[in-house]
Amino acid sequence: MADPKFFPKSKKLTLEQISKLTKITLPKSINKNRVFSDISTLDVASQDNVSFLDNKNYIKQFKKSKAGACFFKKDFENIAPKNMIPLISTNPYHSFAIIANAFYPMKDITAGIHPKAHIETSAKYDDTVQIAPGAVVSSDVSIGSNCLIGANTV
């Protein structure tokens, strides 16, 4: 689902890994070793994808989705497609975000300030921050620990 220009190919996750990361209980009859290769929106998902439903406006796409597994609230279990593995969640969007981060983890940042970054003297940051070339950090800005300020960010 992610644009390969910006994100490297995703890693694969088993249902058991997905269950542990999101703290959800899988249906007992499901193969916990089943592997999923990516995340996707409901309308274009395939059997190898995990998707989510968190808005009633997408019920039509949900009913037609070919997603192999999907996070949704228990209320929608009776209308889920037959071949879709239900990943019942009290907060499907949050569960999906956790999995998205697992499929596409951020690169570790290398702390430091690029010499071509412009940082006002009143800006506050610690030695865990990375500020890339061309970034502009204005006065009285406070940057949290382990943050990455990308190239040409203002």
Side-chain angles (χ1 to χ4, degrees):
M1 180 178 147
D3 188 329
K5 289 183 280 189
F6 300 105
F7 297 98
K9 184 159 176 48
S10 69
K11 65 185 216 172
K12 295 180 180 189
L13 295 174
T14 65
L15 272 175
E16 185 170 26
Q17 291 170 309
I18 291 169
S19 172
K20 285 181 180 176
L21 286 167
T22 57
K23 298 179 173 89
I24 63 162
T25 304
L26 294 171
K28 293 183 194 252
S29 62
I30 298 301
N31 175 5
K32 294 178 182 178
N33 294 319
R34 179 163 172 193
V35 176
F36 287 88
S37 61
D38 208 349
I39 53 173
S40 186
T41 56
L42 289 166
D43 57 336
V44 296
S46 72
Q47 284 295 310
D48 296 332
N49 298 150
V50 178
S51 193
F52 77 104
L53 171 69
D54 195 41
N55 184 322
K56 291 179 182 179
N57 292 332
Y58 295 94
I59 288 177
K60 185 176 179 182
Q61 290 93 326
F62 176 68
K63 288 179 177 180
K64 294 179 182 179
S65 182
K66 293 183 176 29
C70 185
F71 293 104
F72 55 86
K73 293 181 180 178
K74 189 161 183 63
D75 301 351
F76 302 113
E77 194 168 20
N78 62 335
I79 61 169
K82 194 163 104 173
N83 294 324
M84 179 185 285
I85 296 170
L87 303 174
I88 306 300
S89 172
T90 57
N91 189 339
Y93 184 77
H94 182 253
S95 297
F96 185 77
I98 291 169
I99 295 309
N101 191 52
F103 275 112
Y104 295 96
M106 285 189 62
K107 293 181 200 173
D108 289 335
I109 68 168
T110 304
I113 311 303
H114 194 278
K116 294 204 175 184
H118 176 77
I119 303 164
E120 293 289 332
T121 56
S122 62
K124 295 178 181 149
Y125 54 92
D126 65 23
D127 60 357
T128 65
V129 170
Q130 178 184 356
I131 302 178
V136 176
V137 180
S138 299
S139 59
D140 300 319
V141 168
S142 181
I143 301 171
S145 296
N146 297 308
C147 284
L148 164 63
I149 309 299
N152 302 311
T153 302
V154 178

